[in-house]
Amino acid sequence: MEAKGYTQDGTVDLQGRPVIASKTGKWRACAFLVGYEAFERMAFYGVASNLVVYLTTQLHEDNVSSVRNVNNWSGSVWMTPILGAYIADSYLGRFWTFTVSSLIYVLGMVLLTMAVSLKFLKPTCANGVCNKASTSQIAFFYSALYIIAVGSGGTKPNISTFGADQFDDFNAKEKELKVSFFNWWMFSSFLGALFATLGLVYIQENLGWGLGYGIPTVGLLLSLFIFYIGTPIYRHKVRKSKSPARDLIRVLIAAFKNRKLTLPTQPSELHELELQHYSSSGKRQVHHTPTFSFLDKAAIKEGNMGTTRPPCTVTQVEGTKLVFGMIMIWLVTLIPSTIWAQINTLFVKQGTTLDRHLGSSFRIPAASLGSFVTLSMLLSVPMYDRYFVPLMRRKTGNPRGITLLQRIGIGFMLQVIAVAIAYGVELRRMHVIRIHQVVGPKEVVPMSIFWLLPQYVLIGIGDVFNAIGLLEFFYDQSPEDMQSLGTTFFTSGIGVGNFLNSFLVTVVDKITRRGGGKSWIGKNLNDTHLDYYYGFLLVISALNLGAFLWASGKYIYKRENIEVYVDGVQVESKALDTSPLAIQV
């Protein structure tokens, strides 16, 4: 195939024909995908960034209810990709799953725009005061929101993995290009988010919610048109397994059946197919690792005596081990996701209490401060990719500069520092409130909103390390036929983090109200103990960082054999990260 110029990873076009490497894929194809990602993120953050303000000012929900509803919706947006990824990996493939889901996404955006634009679908207002929304209006509004969540479930896990599919891992030059893919993919995502938090939020609060939601809806339609223009040069991966999850279940069942058997002393005595089998079938052989050794019993040769079915291969067992390892890392990403959820909830409500004037007439929307998260990301990504990675590459010899878990760990440390700063700023806000005797819920605290700036900026810089690192980690470490499902570890972590934040806010509010006490997160943020809540988040963040360091120290990276071509010469290659101790430099 190399002589004919075809890709070596077996990718095909939409009709199932082998594709020529020089005419398809790579960054030329990704340019169309990046355009969609920017507009889609603009649409999502155009809704998410200011949703808590809409719920409190237009639908008259209280702080706890609005925070809980925003978190529940955001959690759903990030959890539904599990279903979308499963459908893609097992049935439709990434392209067609994305196509159907994107239409559902657009439908949701159209309905949401109608919900905030048409008079009979939104609460009536007089002299700036809005009546309470009717049951039917609330039902229509939330139905539109959750239709968006369903559509996002099929687009989010498949568009990024489809982009990564445009690079051939069997081609050394394309494999090198792929190292930077997720950095620049997230860069485009940040651009869309920046426009949402700077432009759309201002439009929503000053020119109308209908226009503020209508612009990203039109942008989303335009981005889909751009996406389909690139169809002739896209590469599509062929599914090598009808049901990738079946291997996982088979390994677990076989390991349980063989639980009383003794493992051989040498891993080479376990059942495995010849390398030639993997080469001819286009699959990748995964090396044995010592972690989760109880699963190795699924590959004991004598375990299947008396049956015609062969035992599981080492590669199949290692695929299950990879999923177990990713679950271990996933668990320690939940608290950081909970911290990230504050950007669109409590950070925004905190900002509404402060002096938001810039000059004598311009008033900054509180949600616009989220743009500094995005700005810090946009500035940090090129610096990371162009300066930090080459510098560390020379020191460590790792093509990525540092290992993926080292990158994630740095991000988590920066996030802990950001929470500490947020706690300190809230202490300062409470001090100003006491000095100036600010009592009413709508009274402005004489303290600039820009006091919140450091926590936003530091979270943004941290995301360049942990958010991009997590997305790449879960894609890179997934079993070969489960990379869409693998990336849902990233999205579901954010989703569970939002649900966890909703749970914490609700529980903390109920507990602190008992016996007539003052709620930490009450309706009037000028008469609460939000500083206590931030202190609580700081403690659990620090403890979680310790748990992450322990888990990453136990994790062993995927090691696989693939045939890589360098100027037509076939060589054996292993995965980028092979260090047994993930925190090692």
mmCIF file with all atom_site columns, all heavy atoms in Angstrom, residues 356-369:
data_model
loop_
_atom_site.group_PDB
_atom_site.id
_atom_site.type_symbol
_atom_site.label_atom_id
_atom_site.label_alt_id
_atom_site.label_comp_id
_atom_site.label_asym_id
_atom_site.label_entity_id
_atom_site.label_seq_id
_atom_site.pdbx_PDB_ins_code
_atom_site.Cartn_x
_atom_site.Cartn_y
_atom_site.Cartn_z
_atom_site.occupancy
_atom_site.B_iso_or_equiv
_atom_site.pdbx_formal_charge
_atom_site.auth_seq_id
_atom_site.auth_comp_id
_atom_site.auth_asym_id
_atom_site.auth_atom_id
_atom_site.pdbx_PDB_model_num
ATOM 1   N N   . ARG A 1 356 ? -19.045 46.993 38.825 1.00 0.00 ? 356 ARG A N   1
ATOM 2   C CA  . ARG A 1 356 ? -18.716 46.513 37.472 1.00 0.00 ? 356 ARG A CA  1
ATOM 3   C C   . ARG A 1 356 ? -18.529 47.649 36.472 1.00 0.00 ? 356 ARG A C   1
ATOM 4   O O   . ARG A 1 356 ? -18.502 47.416 35.266 1.00 0.00 ? 356 ARG A O   1
ATOM 5   C CB  . ARG A 1 356 ? -19.815 45.565 36.985 1.00 0.00 ? 356 ARG A CB  1
ATOM 6   C CG  . ARG A 1 356 ? -19.900 44.285 37.794 1.00 0.00 ? 356 ARG A CG  1
ATOM 7   C CD  . ARG A 1 356 ? -20.928 43.331 37.203 1.00 0.00 ? 356 ARG A CD  1
ATOM 8   N NE  . ARG A 1 356 ? -22.291 43.663 37.584 1.00 0.00 ? 356 ARG A NE  1
ATOM 9   C CZ  . ARG A 1 356 ? -23.353 43.444 36.817 1.00 0.00 ? 356 ARG A CZ  1
ATOM 10  N NH1 . ARG A 1 356 ? -23.205 42.956 35.610 1.00 0.00 ? 356 ARG A NH1 1
ATOM 11  N NH2 . ARG A 1 356 ? -24.558 43.755 37.245 1.00 0.00 ? 356 ARG A NH2 1
ATOM 12  N N   . HIS A 1 357 ? -18.398 48.857 36.958 1.00 0.00 ? 357 HIS A N   1
ATOM 13  C CA  . HIS A 1 357 ? -18.261 50.000 36.052 1.00 0.00 ? 357 HIS A CA  1
ATOM 14  C C   . HIS A 1 357 ? -16.833 50.099 35.505 1.00 0.00 ? 357 HIS A C   1
ATOM 15  O O   . HIS A 1 357 ? -15.863 49.947 36.235 1.00 0.00 ? 357 HIS A O   1
ATOM 16  C CB  . HIS A 1 357 ? -18.640 51.307 36.757 1.00 0.00 ? 357 HIS A CB  1
ATOM 17  C CG  . HIS A 1 357 ? -20.112 51.468 36.932 1.00 0.00 ? 357 HIS A CG  1
ATOM 18  N ND1 . HIS A 1 357 ? -20.774 51.069 38.079 1.00 0.00 ? 357 HIS A ND1 1
ATOM 19  C CD2 . HIS A 1 357 ? -21.052 51.960 36.095 1.00 0.00 ? 357 HIS A CD2 1
ATOM 20  C CE1 . HIS A 1 357 ? -22.070 51.311 37.942 1.00 0.00 ? 357 HIS A CE1 1
ATOM 21  N NE2 . HIS A 1 357 ? -22.268 51.859 36.751 1.00 0.00 ? 357 HIS A NE2 1
ATOM 22  N N   . LEU A 1 358 ? -16.770 50.366 34.227 1.00 0.00 ? 358 LEU A N   1
ATOM 23  C CA  . LEU A 1 358 ? -15.497 50.645 33.554 1.00 0.00 ? 358 LEU A CA  1
ATOM 24  C C   . LEU A 1 358 ? -15.665 52.033 32.931 1.00 0.00 ? 358 LEU A C   1
ATOM 25  O O   . LEU A 1 358 ? -16.270 52.191 31.877 1.00 0.00 ? 358 LEU A O   1
ATOM 26  C CB  . LEU A 1 358 ? -15.191 49.589 32.483 1.00 0.00 ? 358 LEU A CB  1
ATOM 27  C CG  . LEU A 1 358 ? -13.796 49.634 31.858 1.00 0.00 ? 358 LEU A CG  1
ATOM 28  C CD1 . LEU A 1 358 ? -12.727 49.347 32.912 1.00 0.00 ? 358 LEU A CD1 1
ATOM 29  C CD2 . LEU A 1 358 ? -13.676 48.619 30.726 1.00 0.00 ? 358 LEU A CD2 1
ATOM 30  N N   . GLY A 1 359 ? -15.144 53.041 33.620 1.00 0.00 ? 359 GLY A N   1
ATOM 31  C CA  . GLY A 1 359 ? -15.433 54.411 33.214 1.00 0.00 ? 359 GLY A CA  1
ATOM 32  C C   . GLY A 1 359 ? -16.748 54.854 33.826 1.00 0.00 ? 359 GLY A C   1
ATOM 33  O O   . GLY A 1 359 ? -17.273 54.247 34.762 1.00 0.00 ? 359 GLY A O   1
ATOM 34  N N   . SER A 1 360 ? -17.312 55.903 33.288 1.00 0.00 ? 360 SER A N   1
ATOM 35  C CA  . SER A 1 360 ? -18.517 56.485 33.889 1.00 0.00 ? 360 SER A CA  1
ATOM 36  C C   . SER A 1 360 ? -19.805 55.840 33.400 1.00 0.00 ? 360 SER A C   1
ATOM 37  O O   . SER A 1 360 ? -20.827 55.875 34.092 1.00 0.00 ? 360 SER A O   1
ATOM 38  C CB  . SER A 1 360 ? -18.570 57.994 33.594 1.00 0.00 ? 360 SER A CB  1
ATOM 39  O OG  . SER A 1 360 ? -18.531 58.210 32.183 1.00 0.00 ? 360 SER A OG  1
ATOM 40  N N   . SER A 1 361 ? -19.779 55.224 32.201 1.00 0.00 ? 361 SER A N   1
ATOM 41  C CA  . SER A 1 361 ? -21.038 54.743 31.626 1.00 0.00 ? 361 SER A CA  1
ATOM 42  C C   . SER A 1 361 ? -21.062 53.238 31.331 1.00 0.00 ? 361 SER A C   1
ATOM 43  O O   . SER A 1 361 ? -22.113 52.615 31.377 1.00 0.00 ? 361 SER A O   1
ATOM 44  C CB  . SER A 1 361 ? -21.348 55.504 30.326 1.00 0.00 ? 361 SER A CB  1
ATOM 45  O OG  . SER A 1 361 ? -20.264 55.362 29.412 1.00 0.00 ? 361 SER A OG  1
ATOM 46  N N   . PHE A 1 362 ? -19.911 52.631 31.016 1.00 0.00 ? 362 PHE A N   1
ATOM 47  C CA  . PHE A 1 362 ? -19.903 51.226 30.611 1.00 0.00 ? 362 PHE A CA  1
ATOM 48  C C   . PHE A 1 362 ? -19.915 50.308 31.826 1.00 0.00 ? 362 PHE A C   1
ATOM 49  O O   . PHE A 1 362 ? -19.140 50.482 32.763 1.00 0.00 ? 362 PHE A O   1
ATOM 50  C CB  . PHE A 1 362 ? -18.672 50.926 29.750 1.00 0.00 ? 362 PHE A CB  1
ATOM 51  C CG  . PHE A 1 362 ? -18.665 49.531 29.183 1.00 0.00 ? 362 PHE A CG  1
ATOM 52  C CD1 . PHE A 1 362 ? -19.488 49.185 28.132 1.00 0.00 ? 362 PHE A CD1 1
ATOM 53  C CD2 . PHE A 1 362 ? -17.835 48.559 29.740 1.00 0.00 ? 362 PHE A CD2 1
ATOM 54  C CE1 . PHE A 1 362 ? -19.478 47.899 27.618 1.00 0.00 ? 362 PHE A CE1 1
ATOM 55  C CE2 . PHE A 1 362 ? -17.817 47.276 29.234 1.00 0.00 ? 362 PHE A CE2 1
ATOM 56  C CZ  . PHE A 1 362 ? -18.645 46.941 28.170 1.00 0.00 ? 362 PHE A CZ  1
ATOM 57  N N   . ARG A 1 363 ? -20.809 49.322 31.810 1.00 0.00 ? 363 ARG A N   1
ATOM 58  C CA  . ARG A 1 363 ? -20.947 48.369 32.911 1.00 0.00 ? 363 ARG A CA  1
ATOM 59  C C   . ARG A 1 363 ? -20.630 46.970 32.391 1.00 0.00 ? 363 ARG A C   1
ATOM 60  O O   . ARG A 1 363 ? -21.272 46.464 31.478 1.00 0.00 ? 363 ARG A O   1
ATOM 61  C CB  . ARG A 1 363 ? -22.370 48.435 33.465 1.00 0.00 ? 363 ARG A CB  1
ATOM 62  C CG  . ARG A 1 363 ? -22.542 47.798 34.832 1.00 0.00 ? 363 ARG A CG  1
ATOM 63  C CD  . ARG A 1 363 ? -23.831 48.322 35.453 1.00 0.00 ? 363 ARG A CD  1
ATOM 64  N NE  . ARG A 1 363 ? -24.136 47.677 36.719 1.00 0.00 ? 363 ARG A NE  1
ATOM 65  C CZ  . ARG A 1 363 ? -25.083 46.752 36.865 1.00 0.00 ? 363 ARG A CZ  1
ATOM 66  N NH1 . ARG A 1 363 ? -25.786 46.374 35.824 1.00 0.00 ? 363 ARG A NH1 1
ATOM 67  N NH2 . ARG A 1 363 ? -25.313 46.217 38.053 1.00 0.00 ? 363 ARG A NH2 1
ATOM 68  N N   . ILE A 1 364 ? -19.648 46.325 32.987 1.00 0.00 ? 364 ILE A N   1
ATOM 69  C CA  . ILE A 1 364 ? -19.192 45.021 32.519 1.00 0.00 ? 364 ILE A CA  1
ATOM 70  C C   . ILE A 1 364 ? -20.171 43.942 32.965 1.00 0.00 ? 364 ILE A C   1
ATOM 71  O O   . ILE A 1 364 ? -20.477 43.827 34.151 1.00 0.00 ? 364 ILE A O   1
ATOM 72  C CB  . ILE A 1 364 ? -17.801 44.688 33.100 1.00 0.00 ? 364 ILE A CB  1
ATOM 73  C CG1 . ILE A 1 364 ? -16.793 45.762 32.738 1.00 0.00 ? 364 ILE A CG1 1
ATOM 74  C CG2 . ILE A 1 364 ? -17.322 43.323 32.635 1.00 0.00 ? 364 ILE A CG2 1
ATOM 75  C CD1 . ILE A 1 364 ? -15.493 45.652 33.520 1.00 0.00 ? 364 ILE A CD1 1
ATOM 76  N N   . PRO A 1 365 ? -20.686 43.099 32.036 1.00 0.00 ? 365 PRO A N   1
ATOM 77  C CA  . PRO A 1 365 ? -21.483 41.945 32.458 1.00 0.00 ? 365 PRO A CA  1
ATOM 78  C C   . PRO A 1 365 ? -20.612 41.004 33.302 1.00 0.00 ? 365 PRO A C   1
ATOM 79  O O   . PRO A 1 365 ? -19.461 40.741 32.944 1.00 0.00 ? 365 PRO A O   1
ATOM 80  C CB  . PRO A 1 365 ? -21.887 41.289 31.135 1.00 0.00 ? 365 PRO A CB  1
ATOM 81  C CG  . PRO A 1 365 ? -21.724 42.362 30.095 1.00 0.00 ? 365 PRO A CG  1
ATOM 82  C CD  . PRO A 1 365 ? -20.596 43.219 30.575 1.00 0.00 ? 365 PRO A CD  1
ATOM 83  N N   . ALA A 1 366 ? -21.147 40.532 34.411 1.00 0.00 ? 366 ALA A N   1
ATOM 84  C CA  . ALA A 1 366 ? -20.345 39.693 35.311 1.00 0.00 ? 366 ALA A CA  1
ATOM 85  C C   . ALA A 1 366 ? -19.818 38.453 34.604 1.00 0.00 ? 366 ALA A C   1
ATOM 86  O O   . ALA A 1 366 ? -18.688 38.008 34.842 1.00 0.00 ? 366 ALA A O   1
ATOM 87  C CB  . ALA A 1 366 ? -21.186 39.293 36.525 1.00 0.00 ? 366 ALA A CB  1
ATOM 88  N N   . ALA A 1 367 ? -20.619 37.869 33.698 1.00 0.00 ? 367 ALA A N   1
ATOM 89  C CA  . ALA A 1 367 ? -20.204 36.645 33.007 1.00 0.00 ? 367 ALA A CA  1
ATOM 90  C C   . ALA A 1 367 ? -19.063 36.895 32.025 1.00 0.00 ? 367 ALA A C   1
ATOM 91  O O   . ALA A 1 367 ? -18.370 35.955 31.632 1.00 0.00 ? 367 ALA A O   1
ATOM 92  C CB  . ALA A 1 367 ? -21.394 36.026 32.278 1.00 0.00 ? 367 ALA A CB  1
ATOM 93  N N   . SER A 1 368 ? -18.866 38.174 31.629 1.00 0.00 ? 368 SER A N   1
ATOM 94  C CA  . SER A 1 368 ? -17.797 38.476 30.674 1.00 0.00 ? 368 SER A CA  1
ATOM 95  C C   . SER A 1 368 ? -16.410 38.265 31.257 1.00 0.00 ? 368 SER A C   1
ATOM 96  O O   . SER A 1 368 ? -15.432 38.146 30.528 1.00 0.00 ? 368 SER A O   1
ATOM 97  C CB  . SER A 1 368 ? -17.919 39.920 30.163 1.00 0.00 ? 368 SER A CB  1
ATOM 98  O OG  . SER A 1 368 ? -18.974 40.026 29.239 1.00 0.00 ? 368 SER A OG  1
ATOM 99  N N   . LEU A 1 369 ? -16.322 38.234 32.586 1.00 0.00 ? 369 LEU A N   1
ATOM 100 C CA  . LEU A 1 369 ? -15.019 37.986 33.187 1.00 0.00 ? 369 LEU A CA  1
ATOM 101 C C   . LEU A 1 369 ? -14.499 36.593 32.820 1.00 0.00 ? 369 LEU A C   1
ATOM 102 O O   . LEU A 1 369 ? -13.298 36.335 32.872 1.00 0.00 ? 369 LEU A O   1
ATOM 103 C CB  . LEU A 1 369 ? -15.096 38.147 34.709 1.00 0.00 ? 369 LEU A CB  1
ATOM 104 C CG  . LEU A 1 369 ? -13.994 39.022 35.320 1.00 0.00 ? 369 LEU A CG  1
ATOM 105 C CD1 . LEU A 1 369 ? -14.028 40.418 34.721 1.00 0.00 ? 369 LEU A CD1 1
ATOM 106 C CD2 . LEU A 1 369 ? -14.154 39.106 36.834 1.00 0.00 ? 369 LEU A CD2 1
#
